[in-house]
Structures are given as structure tokens and as C-alpha cells.
């Protein structure tokens, strides 16, 4: 009993490797089929896939030649952002479609796919690589380098398309910068036009306000104050002159009254010292003077004016007195006078009175005093009227100042904005001329694309190794599946371990001539089927891999990286 389990354990321990080798020997035909098919497919793909060629051009970004301290550019200086914009501008569908048609790119894909898919495929084959920012960090650089590359199945086509794209970057950059500069200048010009119109309207409003309130403006306050002081001095002087003229007229009038009294005393036998002037002559002279004064007053005042009424009353009294004196003179003339010639002069009293030098002097002085008093009175009235006007102007000046401040506040703000925009427009015009003369930031192709030395893909050795690994894996999977499905017994030990009964004997397989002939015929059929299958696999691989740039791109990840 002890010997049997020991023998069984030893056979079990040696069963692992022997079992594997026996399974491989028995299933070698089954394992060979998937191995051959998978390996044939991998080898066919590696041989029939087209090669990808990547051409690369180097573009140098030159900074603005004139320092920005002298000419400030109106174009966005964010190079990364502008590169992104340029990439989208250049890689748009119409431009790429034209390049595809001019260079006959992707002919098989164009026959089976719509043009948007072909354009998208070309975008994936284009790569824009900017120099790493870490290399330029911490230092100011005037230049920048980026590369433009394109991957195609033809090296000459790849180089030609790459150079075309690089030149498009240079041209599009110049056009875009000039467009942005011109757009900035036109925008500022439009804003200046609006501000110019607004400024003109505000200036007209201020001018109309100043014309409407001329004399009451704040800037005329000092002039109004000085004018008012001058008018007050002129008023004081006019009052003084009027006072003096009035006093002189009163004195002359008093002198004439005294002359009338002396004449009256002389006619009544008074003192002989009085002037030899008849009372009628004096009254007639007074009437003449008063009539002249009345005429002057009536040119200015109405008949109801107090001075006019008073002068008329004086004239009436004096005319009555002259009439009385003429009657007395007529009575005296009628009486006989011996030894003396007739002195009766009833018709010449007024003329003789006026011809008296003293009376004439008094009359002239009285007339001058009346005229001067009238002139000074008119001057006082005029000056008072002017003083009232200037006082009203000074009273209205604070109000006009506040109103004008409200009007000019917006005007000053608009004027400052206009001046600022005018300066900016001038700078924008200079920046536009700078871009038009190609003195701004430019792209220059310093290393055009040339024919690549070696293909960028696919990696055929890697594909063969991967195919070999897949073939081995497929063979192993086929053997494992076959062993799992096959439930027949191959060894005595399997029967013992599974059934648990003793095995008395084993009968070897008896192979006849017919069996050998059938096996040979089956082997030939299998080999023919395998050959046909291999031919089909190789043919299918050729159809799949021939000019299949998409599959090459999938199998070559580094060639499909696009940075935009």
C-alpha cells in the first residue's frame, strides 16, 4: 500500500513539463496555423505599408527693428497667441484644399472620402513646434524660432508642401499685422470724427451762451468792476459839476434880480449909483433869457415837467412887468420935457436892454450855466443808468459762472479725450507706416525644407517583433482552447487519476496502409488550404496596407503629433 502512493506522487511531479512537451508535440499542427497566419499578416503589413517622410522648415521671428520706446506698435505682441491665430488662418479649409489639389495629395482618400475629411487629415499631418519657453526664461530675446513640418508618403511632396506652408506663415503674418495696424488707425479715426462732431456742437453751445449773456461772464468780472469804479467816479464828478452849475445859475439869477431892484429904485428917485438900465430893459432881457431856457427844456421834457411850468410862470410875470414898464415909459414920453431931447423908446426897450454889455454878460453866463446844468443832469442820468447795468451784470456773474461751468465741464472732458485720441491716432499712423514698410515684427524662413534623409515611419522592425509576439500568442491560445475542448484520454495515468480504477493493459494504435494514405491526403489538403489562406492573408494585407497613410499614421504616433 505504501509503494503505490509513492509511485503515483513521483509520476505526478514529473507530469508538468512532460505534459507540456507532449501537448506541443501533439498540437504542433494546430499551433502552426495561427502562428503562420498572424506572422504572415504582420510581415505583409510591415512590407506593404508605405513609408512616411517628414520635411521640416525653420522660421525665424524677428522682433521690431525700431525700438518701441520710439515707435509703439499697435499690433498684439503675444507671439504664442498670434501663432495660434496664424495657424488657424493658414490651415483653414479653402487654403488647404487648394494645396491638396495643386500637389495631388491623398488621391485614394479623395476618391472615397469627402473633402472636409481629407482637409482634416492634412491638418493632422502638419506640425508647428515652438521653441521651449524654458530656454528663454529669465532673459529678453529679440528673436524666436519655430519649426514647420509636414508628413507625406513622397519626400519631394513633403518638402514642397512644407516650404509652401512656411512662406504662407511669413506672408500671412505681414498681412495680418498690417491689417491690425490699419484697423487700429481707422478705429481711432472714427472715434476722432465722433469726438470732433461732439466738440463742435459743444463749442457752438458755449459760444451761443456767451453771446446771449455778454457782459455777465466770469472772465468779464474784473472789467465790469473797473468800469463800475470809473462810472462811480464819473458820477461823483458829474454831481460836482451839476452842483457848481446850479450854484452859478443861482448867483447869476440873483445878480439879475438885484439889477431889477436897483433899476426899480433908480426909477423911483433912488441912488444914482445903480446902473443906468431901465426896468423895462432888464425885464425884457430876463424874458429873452427865460425863453431860451424854456426852448432848451421843451426839447427834452414835456409841458407838465415842473421846471417847464416854473419857467413859463416866470416868463408870464416878467412879460406883464415889461408891459407895465412900457405903459410908464409911454406916459413919461407924453409929458413935455424942456432942454432935453425926446427919450421915449417904446419900440426899442428890448433891443437897448440886450445891447447893454453888463446885461449881455449876465445873460450869456446864465445861458452857459443852464446848459451846463442840463448837460450834467443828463450825464448823471446816463451814468446812473450805466451803473445800474453794470451792477446787474456783477450780480448775475456768479449765476452765469455756475451755468457756464456746467456747460464747459463736458466740453473740457471731450477736449481732453480728443487730444488724447489725436496723439494715439498719430502713433497708430506711424505704427501703420512701420508695418507697411516691413520694419515691424517679421517671419523669415532661415532653413527651407529639403528632401528628408530617412523615413519617419513606420518602424518595420517593431512591427515584425509585435507580429511575432502576436503569432506566438495566437498559437498558444489555439493550443489551450483545443486542450480545453478535447476530453479524450491520452495516457494511462489520466485514466487512473480521473476514473479511479486499475488499468489492466493498453492496446497500441494499429495503423493500416489505408490509414496512412488517408492521412497523407488529409495532410496535402490541409497544406493546400493553409497555402491558400496565407495567400489570402498576404493579399488582404496588401489591399489594406497599400498607400494606407492613415494606418501608417496610427502605427507611427510621433509622426501624427500636431501642435497648434
Amino acid at each position: 500500500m505504501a509503494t503505490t502512493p509513492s509511485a503515483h506522487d513521483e509520476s505526478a511531479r514529473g507530469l508538468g513539463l512532460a505534459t507540456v512537451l507532449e501537448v506541443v508535440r501533439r498540437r504542433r499542427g494546430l499551433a502552426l496555423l495561427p502562428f503562420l497566419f498572424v506572422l504572415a499578416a504582420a510581415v505583409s503589413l510591415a512590407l506593404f505599408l508605405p513609408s512616411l517622410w517628414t520635411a521640416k522648415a525653420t522660421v525665424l521671428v524677428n522682433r521690431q527693428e525700431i525700438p518701441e520706446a520710439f515707435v509703439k506698435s499697435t499690433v498684439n505682441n503675444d507671439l504664442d497667441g498670434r501663432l495660434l491665430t496664424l495657424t488657424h488662418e493658414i490651415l483653414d479649409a479653402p487654403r488647404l484644399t487648394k494645396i491638396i489639389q495643386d500637389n495631388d495629395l491623398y488621391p485614394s482618400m479623395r476618391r472615397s472620402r469627402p473633402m472636409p475629411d481629407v482637409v482634416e487629415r492634412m491638418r493632422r499631418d502638419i506640425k508647428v513646434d515652438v521653441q521651449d519657453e524654458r530656454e528663454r526664461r529669465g532673459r529678453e530675446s529679440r528673436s524666436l524660432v519655430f519649426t514647420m513640418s509636414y508628413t507625406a508618403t513622397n519626400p519631394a511632396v513633403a518638402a514642397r508642401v512644407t516650404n509652401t506652408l512656411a512662406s504662407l506663415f511669413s506672408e500671412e503674418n505681414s498681412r495680418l499685422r498690417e491689417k491690425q495696424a490699419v484697423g487700429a488707425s481707422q478705429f481711432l479715426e472714427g472715434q476722432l470724427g465722433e469726438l470732433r462732431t461732439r466738440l463742435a456742437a459743444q463749442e457752438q453751445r458755449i459760444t451761443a451762451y456767451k453771446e446771449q449773456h455778454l457782459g455777465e461772464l466770469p472772465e468779464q468780472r474784473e472789467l465790469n468792476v473797473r468800469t463800475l469804479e470809473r462810472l462811480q467816479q464819473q458820477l461823483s464828478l458829474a454831481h460836482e459839476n451839476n452842483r457848481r452849475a446850479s450854484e452859478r445859475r443861482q448867483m447869476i439869477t440873483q445878480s439879475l434880480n438885484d439889477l431889477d431892484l436897483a433899476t426899480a429904485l433908480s426909477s423911483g428917485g433912488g441912488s444914482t449909483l445903480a446902473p443906468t438900465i431901465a426896468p423895462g430893459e432888464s425885464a425884457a432881457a430876463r424874458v429873452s433869457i427865460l425863453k431860451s431856457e424854456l426852448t432848451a427844456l421843451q426839447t427834452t421834457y414835456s409841458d407838465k415837467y415842473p421846471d417847464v411850468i416854473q419857467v413859463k410862470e416866470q416868463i408870464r410875470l416878467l412879460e406883464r412887468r415889461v408891459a407895465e414898464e412900457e405903459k410908464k415909459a409911454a406916459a413919461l414920453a407924453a409929458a413935455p420935457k424942456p432942454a432935453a431931447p425926446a427919450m421915449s423908446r417904446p419900440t426899442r426897450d428890448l433891443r437897448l436892454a440886450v445891447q447893454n454889455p453888463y446885461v449881455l454878460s449876465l445873460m450869456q453866463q446864465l445861458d452857459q450855466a443852464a446848459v451846463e446844468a442840463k448837460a450834467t443832469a443828463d450825464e448823471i442820468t446816463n451814468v446812473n443808468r450805466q451803473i445800474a447795468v453794470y451792477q446787474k451784470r456783477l450780480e448775475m456773474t456768479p449765476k452765469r459762472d455756475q451755468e457756464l461751468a456746467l456747460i464747459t465741464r463736458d466740453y473740457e472732458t471731450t477736449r481732453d479725450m480728443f487730444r488724447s485720441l489725436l496723439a494715439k491716432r498719430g502713433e497708430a499712423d506711424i505704427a501703420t507706416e512701420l508695418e507697411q514698410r516691413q520694419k515691424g515684427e517679421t517671419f523669415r524662413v532661415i532653413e527651407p525644407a529639403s528632401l528628408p534623409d530617412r523615413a519617419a515611419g513606420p518602424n518595420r522592425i517593431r512591427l515584425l517583433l509585435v507580429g511575432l509576439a502576436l503569432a506566438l500568442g495566437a498559437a498558444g491560445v489555439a493550443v489551450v482552447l483545443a486542450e480545453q475542448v478535447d476530453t479524450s484520454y491520452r495516457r494511462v495515468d489520466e485514466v487512473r487519476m480521473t476514473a479511479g480504477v486499475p488499468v489492466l493493459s493498453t492496446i497500441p494504435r494499429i495503423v493500416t496502409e489505408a490509414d496512412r494514405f488517408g492521412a497523407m491526403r488529409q495532410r496535402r489538403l490541409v497544406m493546400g488550404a493553409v497555402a491558400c489562406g496565407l495567400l489570402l492573408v498576404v493579399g488582404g494585407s496588401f489591399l489594406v496596407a497599400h498607400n494606407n497613410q492613415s494606418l501608417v499614421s496610427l502605427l507611427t504616433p510621433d509622426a501624427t503629433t500636431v501642435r497648434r
Side-chain angles (χ1 to χ4, degrees):
M1 293 295 294
T3 304
T4 304
S6 177
H8 178 74
D9 291 341
E10 290 177 359
S11 65
R13 283 195 302 267
L15 196 61
L17 180 59
T19 303
V20 172
L21 293 177
E22 195 274 335
V23 169
V24 171
R25 182 186 60 79
R26 188 176 63 251
R27 302 291 185 182
R28 61 181 179 275
L30 180 62
L32 187 61
L33 291 178
F35 177 81
L36 289 177
F37 282 108
V38 174
L39 184 60
V43 172
S44 300
L45 287 176
L47 293 177
F48 296 144
L49 280 176
S51 297
L52 292 182
W53 302 86
T54 300
K56 183 181 297 185
T58 304
V59 181
L60 175 66
V61 181
N62 287 324
R63 298 295 186 181
Q64 181 174 313
E65 295 182 6
I66 301 176
E68 291 192 359
F70 298 100
V71 179
K72 187 175 182 181
S73 177
T74 56
V75 182
N76 183 15
N77 292 325
D78 184 10
L79 184 58
D80 294 334
R82 191 144 42 85
L83 275 177
L84 182 62
T85 302
L86 288 173
T87 303
H88 284 286
E89 287 286 339
I90 294 172
L91 301 185
D92 61 344
R95 202 185 302 266
L96 291 184
T97 300
K98 185 176 183 304
I99 294 175
I100 290 171
Q101 293 174 351
D102 292 343
N103 295 276
D104 194 21
L105 302 178
Y106 314 103
S108 59
M109 189 175 182
R110 279 187 294 159
R111 288 191 295 268
S112 60
R113 304 286 292 278
M115 184 56 71
D117 295 344
V118 181
V119 170
E120 186 62 28
R121 171 57 192 277
M122 185 175 182
R123 288 194 182 114
R124 291 197 300 267
D125 292 336
I126 297 173
K127 177 181 176 183
V128 179
D129 191 6
V130 184
Q131 182 181 357
D132 192 358
E133 291 290 335
R134 291 176 296 180
E135 299 177 5
R136 297 181 287 123
R137 188 175 302 166
R139 60 185 180 90
E140 183 67 22
S141 176
R142 288 186 53 83
S143 301
L144 181 69
V145 175
F146 69 93
T147 58
M148 163 70 63
S149 61
Y150 175 69
T151 302
T153 57
N154 189 328
V157 172
R160 186 169 59 250
V161 172
T162 301
N163 289 327
T164 301
L165 293 174
S167 62
L168 286 177
F169 263 89
S170 179
E171 296 171 2
E172 189 67 19
N173 176 67
S174 300
R175 188 192 66 81
L176 182 62
R177 288 184 64 87
E178 183 177 349
K179 179 181 177 181
Q180 290 179 354
V182 172
S185 180
Q186 292 177 350
F187 172 76
L188 293 176
E189 181 62 31
Q191 294 297 314
L192 276 177
E194 295 180 2
L195 284 179
R196 191 179 288 110
T197 303
R198 191 190 311 172
L199 200 62
Q202 292 175 350
E203 288 177 350
Q204 291 178 358
R205 182 183 177 188
I206 294 174
T207 301
Y209 182 85
K210 289 184 176 181
E211 290 177 353
Q212 181 181 359
H213 302 286
L214 187 64
E216 301 177 359
L217 303 177
E219 58 267 20
Q220 298 175 329
R221 184 179 182 277
E222 294 297 330
L223 179 62
N224 291 336
V225 171
R226 290 195 296 270
T227 304
L228 185 60
E229 293 176 352
R230 180 178 58 79
L231 288 176
Q232 289 176 349
Q233 294 176 359
Q234 184 177 352
L235 180 63
S236 299
L237 182 60
H239 276 294
E240 182 65 21
N241 293 334
N242 183 266
R243 184 183 63 79
R244 291 177 181 178
S246 299
E247 290 178 354
R248 188 164 61 253
R249 187 175 62 176
Q250 291 177 2
M251 291 176 62
I252 295 171
T253 304
Q254 185 64 33
S255 298
L256 290 174
N257 291 334
D258 293 343
L259 182 61
D260 292 341
L261 179 61
T263 302
L265 292 176
S266 174
S267 63
S271 173
T272 60
L273 297 175
T276 58
I277 299 175
E281 295 176 353
S282 176
R286 290 283 294 148
V287 169
S288 178
I289 294 172
L290 290 174
K291 284 184 178 180
S292 299
E293 185 176 354
L294 178 63
T295 302
L297 290 172
Q298 286 179 342
T299 58
T300 306
Y301 305 105
S302 63
D303 293 338
K304 296 181 180 181
Y305 194 73
D307 291 346
V308 176
I309 296 174
Q310 183 180 1
V311 171
K312 285 184 177 180
E313 182 65 21
Q314 291 179 4
I315 291 173
R316 186 182 64 79
L317 294 176
L318 289 175
E319 286 179 347
R320 188 174 62 181
R321 184 176 177 181
V322 169
E324 291 176 356
E325 293 295 332
E326 288 178 351
K327 289 179 182 180
K328 290 180 181 181
L332 292 175
K337 292 183 179 179
M343 299 299 293
S344 177
R345 297 170 294 182
T347 60
R348 294 185 302 156
D349 290 339
L350 183 59
R351 182 176 59 83
L352 293 175
V354 173
Q355 291 177 353
N356 188 280
Y358 183 72
V359 174
L360 284 176
S361 177
L362 290 178
M363 290 172 60
Q364 291 176 356
Q365 293 180 14
L366 183 61
D367 187 35
Q368 292 177 357
V371 172
E372 184 177 355
K374 177 65 172 59
T376 53
D378 292 342
E379 184 180 1
I380 290 172
T381 302
N382 187 26
V383 171
N384 283 327
R385 185 169 61 252
Q386 293 183 18
I387 289 176
V389 171
Y390 281 94
Q391 285 180 344
K392 183 178 179 182
R393 289 181 179 180
L394 289 175
E395 292 175 356
M396 296 299 295
T397 297
K399 181 179 179 181
R400 304 305 177 203
D401 188 10
Q402 184 177 6
E403 293 175 351
L404 191 61
L406 293 176
I407 297 176
T408 57
R409 184 179 303 162
D410 293 339
Y411 169 75
E412 292 175 355
T413 303
T414 306
R415 184 182 59 186
D416 294 340
M417 292 176 59
F418 181 81
R419 291 176 179 175
S420 176
L421 279 178
L422 189 62
K424 292 180 179 179
R425 199 277 308 272
E427 295 177 357
D429 292 341
I430 297 176
T432 302
E433 186 175 0
L434 181 74
E435 298 297 336
Q436 291 175 347
R437 293 186 178 183
Q438 300 294 324
K439 298 297 183 181
E441 188 176 87
T442 57
F443 288 6
R444 183 167 61 91
V445 181
I446 59 175
E447 186 178 345
S450 59
L451 293 176
D453 298 333
R454 57 182 180 178
N459 192 336
R460 303 183 190 279
I461 297 177
R462 181 185 300 175
L463 289 178
L464 291 175
L465 294 177
V466 172
L468 181 60
L470 291 176
L472 292 174
V477 170
V479 171
V480 171
L481 291 177
E483 288 296 320
Q484 293 294 328
V485 174
D486 189 4
T487 58
S488 61
Y489 295 104
R490 301 294 180 181
R491 298 193 310 272
V492 177
D493 295 337
E494 294 177 358
V495 179
R496 291 174 180 174
M497 294 174 59
T498 304
V501 294
V503 178
L504 298 179
S505 64
T506 59
I507 301 174
R509 183 177 181 181
I510 300 173
V511 179
T512 64
E513 188 66 23
D515 293 336
R516 282 195 297 270
F517 179 75
M520 185 178 297
R521 186 178 57 182
Q522 185 179 5
R523 189 179 303 112
R524 290 175 181 176
L525 292 175
V526 170
M527 291 180 63
V530 169
C532 293
L534 290 176
L535 289 176
L536 291 176
V537 168
V538 172
S541 298
F542 176 79
L543 295 176
V544 172
H546 182 66
N547 290 330
N548 193 339
Q549 191 174 348
S550 300
L551 183 58
V552 179
S553 300
L554 292 176
L555 298 176
T556 313
D558 293 340
T560 60
T561 303
V562 180
R563 298 181 184 178
R564 287 179 290 171

